[in-house]
Amino acid sequence: MKIALLGYGKMGKVIEKIALERGHEIVLKKDEFNTFDGLSTADVAIDFSTPSIAVENISTAINHGIPVISGTTGWLENYPEIERLCNEKKAAFLYGSNFSLGVNLFFELNEYLAKMMAKFKDYKVTMEEIHHTQKLDKPSGTAISLANAIINHTDKNNWAIENPKEDDVFIDVKRIDDVPGTHSVYYNSDVDFIEIKHIAHNREGFALGAVIAAEWIIGKKGIFSMKDVLNIENRE
């Protein structure tokens, strides 16, 4: 499989390592200083860039008829635009706020717990997310996915990272050197405290998931998520 890396920072380099180990070829390593030369020869594009250039990267690949895996967060206000383009071009697109297998299992656990806790009003739900200081967006895309699942199954209406209202899920955002990613969900009452947490030890879990998603999407058309890749059913 020939891969175009749209974004060649720390994550891009780890993805390159994992992809080469799995027998794939890298035909483009695009950062902010070079062009899309080589994109047309790719079987799939993997975008781990920055919020400011993600839409251009994704759109360019889709316009070339190349399926796209995107793990860039912080650009989702433009997601409907990408969705329309993908449908118009009959292309393939998969966005994941986190490609780690463990995190996607954590998503399922978080959603299940939120459904259970919804009727127990004595518990106040809050969250914490910790990342390295180079991470540009706050909160992380993973934290937003976790918060949205809580919102979908409780009486909360939004999330907030400061000055939370009563119906907000408060996300305590911290930036600490060399932390790949830690996400916690807390349910606190006057009598006890419930916590679920995912701690990433390194970036390799994210990179492996992205490469597996790229392998999976070849030959498909449509808009997908990691639930499709991992064959995780939606449970009501």
Side-chain angles (χ1 to χ4, degrees):
M1 184 171 71
K2 296 181 178 180
I3 301 173
L5 295 177
L6 306 181
Y8 196 59
K10 291 180 179 179
M11 267 302 298
K13 291 177 174 65
V14 180
I15 290 170
E16 177 185 31
K17 173 180 175 290
I18 297 290
L20 293 175
E21 288 173 353
R22 293 173 71 88
H24 303 308
E25 179 185 353
I26 307 300
V27 295
L28 171 61
K29 304 173 190 178
K30 186 183 184 302
D31 57 26
E32 59 183 311
F33 303 110
N34 61 1
T35 68
F36 287 97
D37 287 349
L39 178 63
S40 60
T41 67
D43 299 311
V44 63
I46 301 178
D47 170 67
F48 273 82
S49 56
T50 61
S52 62
I53 61 173
V55 174
E56 178 188 5
N57 284 345
I58 297 164
S59 300
T60 301
I62 289 175
N63 282 321
H64 277 76
I66 296 166
V68 183
I69 305 297
S70 177
T72 306
T73 57
W75 62 273
L76 290 186
E77 67 275 9
N78 299 110
Y79 186 87
E81 171 190 335
I82 295 299
E83 194 172 41
R84 285 192 297 271
L85 180 64
C86 184
N87 289 329
E88 176 189 324
K89 299 293 183 179
K90 296 181 171 56
F93 176 66
L94 188 154
Y95 167 76
S97 60
N98 196 306
F99 284 89
S100 160
L101 171 60
V103 165
N104 280 277
L105 296 174
F106 189 63
F107 284 156
E108 296 299 302
L109 176 63
N110 171 65
E111 187 170 12
Y112 186 72
L113 181 59
K115 292 175 185 177
M116 289 179 58
M117 299 302 294
K119 59 186 176 182
F120 298 103
K121 305 302 183 184
D122 290 339
Y123 287 88
K124 179 182 178 181
V125 60
T126 59
M127 293 174 51
E128 179 184 69
E129 71 102 331
I130 309 171
H131 276 90
H132 50 86
T133 52
Q134 289 78 35
K135 186 165 182 59
L136 299 178
D137 52 319
K138 295 182 180 182
S140 67
T142 300
I144 292 172
S145 294
L146 291 165
N148 284 339
I150 294 167
I151 291 163
N152 289 341
H153 297 290
T154 66
D155 58 0
K156 300 299 181 183
N157 291 322
N158 210 334
W159 54 263
I161 60 174
E162 56 185 17
N163 302 319
K165 301 174 184 174
E166 185 65 28
D167 60 354
D168 288 338
V169 178
F170 174 61
I171 306 173
D172 187 9
V173 177
K174 297 178 180 177
R175 293 292 175 260
I176 301 172
D177 284 341
D178 300 323
V179 177
T182 298
H183 295 86
S184 304
V185 179
Y186 307 125
Y187 289 89
N188 195 22
S189 76
D190 291 338
V191 296
D192 57 12
F193 181 80
I194 299 169
E195 173 185 359
I196 58 172
K197 176 180 288 189
H198 179 274
I199 302 173
H201 296 309
N202 53 53
R203 293 182 173 87
E204 293 205 357
F206 310 138
L208 176 60
V211 175
I212 289 172
E215 294 168 348
W216 178 89
I217 205 170
I218 297 294
K220 295 180 174 66
K221 305 293 182 187
I223 297 168
F224 305 101
S225 73
M226 282 299 286
K227 282 181 178 284
D228 300 301
V229 178
L230 300 174
N231 197 25
I232 298 174
E233 296 179 0
N234 286 298
R235 293 178 176 86
E236 296 299 330

